[in-house]
């Protein structure tokens, strides 16, 4: 498929518009998993701006792209992850959770999305049925009423003890069915809070909506999960808090950033200065100024959305960024064209070097074929020829050799023994010599004995 330059530019503009809205209004210190690749932990131990905790010496496992709140084994485990900063935003905001639940055929467990006051946040991880009195909102995902799964919403102002209620399921202000277990892919729950309503969406479909709920600012977000004796493993892959307001990109902690207003003023002055320079450049181009395109910025620095107040400044900033993207796409297209021409040239050179088979190569092939035919003939001769006569001749030759060896070997051994045996004269000489030596020795012994001194008692 070939994409024209105009198509590439359209795609780049669409991607830029989407990514700009997404990146500008995601509250980074209340979100994780929003970056490219879904990375949530730089060191596989903790998540920036969040606290991960468990119960009874169990700590949820933090991976590079997910958090395992409850393990596949053993059961009866609880884990949670809580934002360390509150939401300082009134009006339109959205909380998005991507999770997955896997387990055995009859596994059980539940998942909660919390938005509660600071006094209830960061406490021991609990479920709806074991939580103390809390002030805020909780969405519960479990197998309520045996429908294969459901999503329900509960509100509390701190006066209702849900764990002691005889039938806490009747306190839900909204619910819908959702088969969330062992799906093979992630489930997405979106909680959207606007000025006049609160809506919960599950996998792109509306779950429930009400215009009687208004959540205050300054509360904390958290996600907790618990498993039963037959456990369900809950994995959280993404949790994103975003807003459609252009007031701020990241919601700062008011106590942590006391000089935020001064910082915003500096950013505003810098943006206004950049806008004036851009406007001056556009006017020069409009009235035929000799200024060339060298004044077009190659890169635009990142600024907070709160520093851009007017629509004119927003348009100028967006125009600069789109123009930079357009130039980059044009450069990439030109580079692709150059690579295509280079590959075309290399292919033509390679095809020119490939020549037909000449006579010498044909003669070599004929010689090889001749050798193959000769080899096949020899193989056929060896397979068809009878070697019985040849084997009989070899057998007779071996027998003749054996008979000749049997006849000649005793004679040869007798001749060797006869030629080397001792003669009778030699034997007699040796016997006489031995007799003389023994007699001489006896005579010498007698003389020495007679000449020895004698003792008389």
């Amino acid at each position: 498929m070939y994409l024209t330059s105009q198509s590439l530019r359209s795609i780049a503009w669409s991607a830029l518009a989407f990514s700009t809205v997404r990146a500008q209004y995601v509250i980074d210190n209340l979100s994780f998993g929003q970056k490219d690749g879904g990375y949530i932990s730089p060191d596989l131990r903790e998540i920036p701006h969040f606290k991960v905790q468990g119960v009874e010496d169990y700590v949820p496992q933090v991976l590079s792209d997910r958090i395992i709140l409850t393990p596949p084994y053993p059961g009866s485990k609880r884990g949670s992850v809580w934002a360390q900063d509150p939401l300082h935003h009134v009006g339109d905001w959205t909380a998005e959770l991507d999770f997955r639940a896997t387990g055995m055929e009859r596994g059980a467990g539940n998942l909660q999305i919390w938005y509660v006051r600071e006094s209830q946040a960061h406490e021991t991880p609990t479920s709806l049925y074991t939580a103390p009195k809390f002030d805020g909102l909780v969405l519960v995902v479990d197998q309520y009423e045996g429908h294969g799964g459901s999503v329900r919403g509960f509100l509390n102002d701190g006066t209702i003890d849900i764990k002691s209620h005889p039938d806490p399921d009747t306190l839900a202000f909204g619910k819908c069915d959702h088969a969330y277990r062992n799906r093979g892919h992630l489930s997405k729950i979106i909680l959207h809070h606007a000025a006049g309503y609160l809506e919960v969406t599950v996998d792109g479909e509306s779950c429930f909506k009400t215009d009687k709920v208004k959540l205050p600012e300054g509360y904390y977000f958290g996600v907790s999960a618990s498993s039963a004796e037959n456990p369900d493993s809950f994995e959280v892959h993404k949790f994103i808090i975003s807003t459609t307001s252009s007031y701020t990109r990241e919601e700062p902690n008011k106590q942590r950033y006391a000089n935020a207003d001064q910082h915003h003023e500096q950013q505003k002055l810098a943006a206004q200065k950049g806008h004036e320079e851009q406007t001056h450049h556009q006017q020069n181009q409009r009235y035929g100024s000799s200024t060339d395109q060298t004044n077009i910025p190659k890169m635009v620095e990142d600024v907070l959305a709160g520093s851009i107040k007017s629509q004119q400044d927003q348009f100028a900033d967006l125009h600069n960024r789109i123009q930079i993207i357009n130039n980059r796409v044009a450069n990439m297209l030109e580079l692709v064209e150059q690579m295509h021409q280079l590959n075309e040239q290399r292919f033509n050179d390679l095809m020119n070097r490939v020549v037909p088979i000449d006579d010498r190569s044909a003669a070599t092939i004929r010689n090889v074929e001749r050798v193959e035919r000769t080899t096949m003939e020899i193989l056929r001769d060896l397979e068809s020829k009878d070697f019985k006569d040849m084997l009989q001749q070899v057998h007779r030759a071996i027998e003749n050799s054996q008979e000749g060896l049997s006849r000649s070997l005793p004679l040869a051994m007798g001749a060797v023994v006869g030629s080397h045996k001792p003669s009778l004269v030699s034997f007699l000489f040796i016997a006489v010599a031995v007799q003389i030596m023994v007699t001489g020795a006896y005579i010498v012994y007698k003389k020495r004995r007679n000449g020895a001194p004698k003792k008389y008692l």
Side-chain angles (χ1 to χ4, degrees):
M1 183 178 67
Y2 179 74
L3 296 177
T4 62
S5 175
Q6 185 176 2
S7 300
L8 289 175
R9 290 169 182 166
S10 301
I11 294 173
W13 289 348
S14 301
L16 175 65
F18 177 77
S19 61
T20 301
V21 172
R22 183 80 174 185
Q24 259 188 335
Y25 305 124
V26 170
I27 306 176
D28 290 337
N29 62 327
L30 300 180
S31 308
F32 59 82
Q34 76 275 18
K35 298 181 180 179
D36 295 337
Y39 292 104
I40 63 176
S41 176
D43 54 3
L44 303 182
R45 291 193 302 269
E46 59 183 11
I47 303 175
H49 306 290
F50 282 83
K51 181 180 180 181
V52 180
Q53 56 185 354
V55 178
E56 297 179 357
D57 298 331
Y58 169 72
V59 179
Q61 187 177 4
V62 179
L63 304 179
S64 61
D65 61 342
R66 72 193 71 176
I67 309 172
I68 302 178
L69 293 179
T70 57
Y73 180 84
S76 302
K77 297 296 182 182
R78 292 182 291 173
S80 68
V81 54
W82 285 93
Q84 295 181 343
D85 299 328
L87 174 65
H88 290 293
H89 190 82
V90 179
D92 196 348
W93 52 264
T94 302
E96 176 183 339
L97 176 70
D98 289 2
F99 74 97
R100 177 166 56 194
T102 56
M104 58 186 66
E105 182 179 359
R106 296 185 178 181
N110 51 61
L111 179 75
Q112 286 78 214
I113 305 175
W114 301 86
Y115 181 66
V116 296
R117 191 185 293 271
E118 182 179 6
S119 58
Q120 282 82 34
H122 310 153
E123 293 181 355
T124 302
T126 57
S127 66
L128 173 70
Y129 305 103
T130 59
K133 297 179 181 180
F134 65 90
D135 184 3
L137 167 72
V138 58
L139 294 180
V140 181
V141 181
D142 60 3
Q143 301 182 74
Y144 168 69
E145 292 183 346
H147 292 303
S150 65
V151 179
R152 293 171 295 151
F154 295 84
L155 288 172
N156 196 350
D157 57 358
T159 61
I160 303 175
D161 190 4
I162 296 180
K163 67 179 180 180
S164 301
H165 196 277
D167 191 4
D169 297 323
T170 58
L171 301 176
F173 68 91
K175 67 177 181 178
C176 68
D177 294 335
H178 175 57
Y180 62 92
R181 299 184 69 250
N182 299 324
R183 304 183 63 193
H185 58 85
L186 299 178
S187 298
K188 183 185 293 293
I189 297 180
I190 298 178
L191 174 64
H192 182 61
H193 178 268
Y197 65 91
L198 175 68
E199 183 179 11
V200 176
T201 305
V202 180
D203 289 341
E205 298 182 358
S206 179
C207 179
F208 59 85
K209 183 177 180 180
T210 179
D211 57 355
K212 299 180 181 179
V213 175
K214 182 179 180 181
L215 300 176
E217 66 170 325
Y219 281 26
Y220 289 78
F221 283 101
V223 180
S224 66
S226 61
S227 61
E229 185 177 356
N230 294 330
D232 270 342
S233 176
F234 286 94
E235 302 175 359
V236 176
H237 290 246
K238 183 186 296 183
F239 184 69
I240 298 177
I241 307 299
S242 59
T243 175
T244 58
S245 175
S246 62
Y247 177 73
T248 179
R249 178 172 179 264
E250 294 185 2
E251 297 294 341
N253 191 322
K254 293 181 179 180
Q255 296 178 355
R256 184 179 302 177
Y257 302 103
N259 57 348
D261 295 338
Q262 182 179 0
H263 179 71
H264 288 170
E265 290 296 331
Q266 294 177 357
Q267 294 291 340
K268 180 178 179 180
L269 294 176
Q272 290 179 354
K273 183 178 180 181
H275 173 64
E276 292 176 357
E277 294 178 355
Q278 180 66 21
T279 304
H280 178 69
H281 175 67
Q282 292 178 354
Q283 291 177 354
N284 291 337
Q285 289 184 341
R286 183 180 301 174
Y287 294 103
S289 175
S290 60
T291 304
D292 55 9
Q293 294 184 355
T294 57
N295 292 330
I296 297 177
K298 300 299 181 182
M299 184 62 66
V300 178
E301 296 182 357
D302 294 337
V303 296
L304 295 175
S307 63
I308 305 177
K309 298 298 184 179
S310 64
Q311 294 182 354
Q312 186 176 3
D313 294 341
Q314 293 178 355
F315 175 78
D317 183 74
L318 183 61
H319 172 74
N320 291 337
R321 298 181 185 276
I322 293 178
Q323 193 173 23
I324 292 173
I325 293 294
N326 188 23
N327 293 335
R328 295 293 178 86
V329 172
N331 293 335
M332 292 174 61
L333 181 61
E334 183 179 359
L335 181 60
V336 171
E337 291 291 341
Q338 293 177 359
M339 294 177 62
H340 177 70
Q341 295 177 0
L342 181 60
N343 292 334
E344 194 81 19
Q345 182 179 0
R346 290 179 177 176
F347 177 77
N348 295 332
D349 294 341
L350 183 61
M351 293 302 296
N352 293 331
R353 295 181 182 180
V354 177
V355 295
I357 300 176
D358 54 3
D359 297 336
R360 183 178 300 176
S361 300
T364 303
I365 294 176
R366 288 194 296 271
N367 292 334
V368 172
E369 293 177 352
R370 189 180 301 111
V371 171
E372 290 181 352
R373 287 195 298 270
T374 305
T375 304
M376 294 301 296
E377 292 175 358
I378 294 173
L379 182 61
R380 285 194 297 269
D381 292 340
L382 292 176
E383 292 177 351
S384 61
K385 190 174 181 179
D386 190 4
F387 294 94
K388 185 175 181 181
D389 296 337
M390 184 180 296
L391 292 175
Q392 289 179 356
Q393 293 177 4
V394 173
H395 182 66
R396 286 195 297 270
I398 293 174
E399 287 181 349
N400 295 333
S401 299
Q402 183 180 4
E403 291 177 358
L405 187 62
S406 300
R407 289 192 298 268
S408 60
L409 184 60
L411 297 176
M413 292 296 293
V416 171
V417 172
S419 62
H420 293 82
K421 66 181 179 179
S423 62
L424 183 60
V425 177
S426 299
F427 179 75
L428 292 176
F429 178 76
I430 293 173
V432 171
V434 170
Q435 292 278 343
I436 294 172
M437 291 176 63
V438 172
T439 303
Y442 179 75
I443 293 172
V444 172
Y445 169 73
K446 292 294 290 182
K447 286 182 178 182
R448 289 186 178 182
R449 183 177 179 183
N450 293 331
K454 299 180 176 60
K455 284 186 180 181
Y456 296 98
L457 301 175

